[in-house]
Amino acid sequence: MFNKRTKIKALLSHGVVDQEVVVMGWVRTFRNNQFIALNDGSTSQNIQVVVPLGSVDEALLKRITTGASLRIEGKLVASLGKGQSVEVLANLIEILGDSDAEKFPLQPKKHSLEFLREIAHLRFRTQTFGAVFRIRHALAFAVHQFFNERGFVYLHTPIITASDAEGAGEMFRVTTLPMDGSAPRNEDGSIDYKEDFFGKSTNLTVSGQLEGELGAMAFSEIYTFGPTFRAENSNTTRHLAEFWMIEPEMAFCDLEDNMNLAEAFVKHLIGYAMEHCADDLAWLDTRLAEEEKQKPQQERQEMGLVEKLKFVLDNDFERITYTDAINILLQSPAYKKKKFQYEVAWGIDLQSEHERYLVEKHFKKPVIVTNYPAKIKAFYMRMDDGCEPGKETVAAMDILAPGIGEIVGGSQREERLERLEARMEEFGIPVEEMSWYLDTRRFGTVPHAGFGLGFERMVQFVTGMGNIRDVIPFARTPKNCEF
RNA sequence: UCCCGAAUAGCUCAGCUGGUUAGAGCAUCUGACUGUUAAUCAGAGGGUCGCUGGUUCAAGUCCAGCUUCGGGAGCCA
């Protein structure tokens, strides 16, 4: 019975007028005791179901409320009213599931994002979140398409890990030991993880990169795309405790190749969304424009959402070295007028305000900053040759996007064993425990590079959503693990 | 974690320098209308003013602490 149904997207795009159809979906609004706006999630568009006057008894009519699920048999006809080209003239209406109008929290009106966040289990049924999560899906698909077309192998790196060497942040502990104080102890009073499930201390992964490198040393190119966990007490619009990250890793690849791939990748994702999610982007574009109107003129974005995406697609990303970036900042009017809260000097880590200045004020487009000081970057990044003593840099690159900040972080990896070991020692990383990683450098090491792209930040960028909690179905953040 | 701000009806918000019975729009319910586009019109119901304590003759309003939420910063993707 159900497989006879036509999805609303199909009906609206290529439905044949005067044909008998079956549609199913949820009621968005019911106007005039006669017009049902029905949505099944296949598109942001609703289909209008017309209930012929007097054809349905009062009791059933009263059950057609916002949120109720319906099965409609009827005929697709050209619409008499404005606002839609076709509609379904119903001859049978079946209520699949009632929705108590007094209790269902979604109303046919504009709700705040904050309120919808509290009812995240229902917010998919709104226009905005429908659009956001259809786009999220499209982007996920485009990730696989991009790498598949280029011969990358999708490698499933582990989620539970024993290495805490990446140093990408605080980790969530994974254990089956009792938490009531009765866990087995060593002689010095510390917990004896030899008795734990894995026989050692384990955590949730903060990055699949190190394992990814192992794959790249066999398949040439791999990528990972999976959940990542950081136990940082971050309370911002761009951090989650559980998020999804894409990490390609390429053998026979240097920093420039890495940048070229990252830029092509970001553009592919944007282009895919623009091609396949035009409806949803148009809705979000309008929503954002209305939001912008509420803001004072100075704080408004110069470009609309679609305009911004097109602009990013059509222009090369600016590529500058960290040293150039510092010089630009030092010569900026903002610096001279002492507008920066944090100091600017070679060797500092770029602060949010500095990145924003470069991206939003100076270049007004995505910027790739390269060759950061070695001291502020991770141990595995390749030391640049021929540096002035005291000004050693590494082959790192960050892509900074307007409004989001760092969307990609990557580097060419240190492939020279002695150099890598020296760096690990410097960073206090136990070389013996990482022997498996160092084997890549012992046996057929090659120049290689890779990067990590925060998937939610990419979804934020494409959808224009300001808060990262609104682009993941169920956000996990400090003090919040609902649903 | 730090800084700033907020918390009043189901939702969005108003409530002035403390003053007697806390309002509006939307939603809901009842009725009317019927080619509507967040339908419209008339009426009704709906409140522990986040929590705890304090100041005062009197607190939604002032003060302190707590909780939650939002914005910014740090950590990063």
Side-chain angles (χ1 to χ4, degrees), chain A residues 419-461:
Chain A
R419 297 273 201 132
L420 184 56
E421 282 174 335
R423 283 284 277 174
M424 288 171 81
E425 218 125 296
E426 219 177 290
F427 278 75
I429 290 161
V431 176
E432 318 78 55
E433 279 177 38
M434 299 290 289
S435 179
W436 54 270
Y437 178 67
L438 290 168
D439 270 358
T440 54
R441 275 64 167 177
R442 291 192 186 105
F443 308 117
T445 191
V446 298
H448 64 291
F451 62 84
L453 175 132
F455 186 58
E456 282 76 19
R457 289 189 184 173
M458 189 68 212
V459 180
Q460 272 189 283
F461 187 74

Side-chain angles (χ1 to χ4, degrees), chain A residues 163-196:
Chain A
S163 92
D164 59 351
E166 221 261 333
E170 292 296 311
M171 303 176 92
F172 288 102
R173 180 171 294 287
V174 174
T175 181
T176 54
L177 291 177
M179 299 303 290
D180 59 5
S182 66
R185 306 274 167 168
N186 294 313
E187 276 172 20
D188 64 0
S190 62
I191 291 179
D192 181 7
Y193 288 106
K194 283 196 292 300
E195 298 293 317
D196 203 351

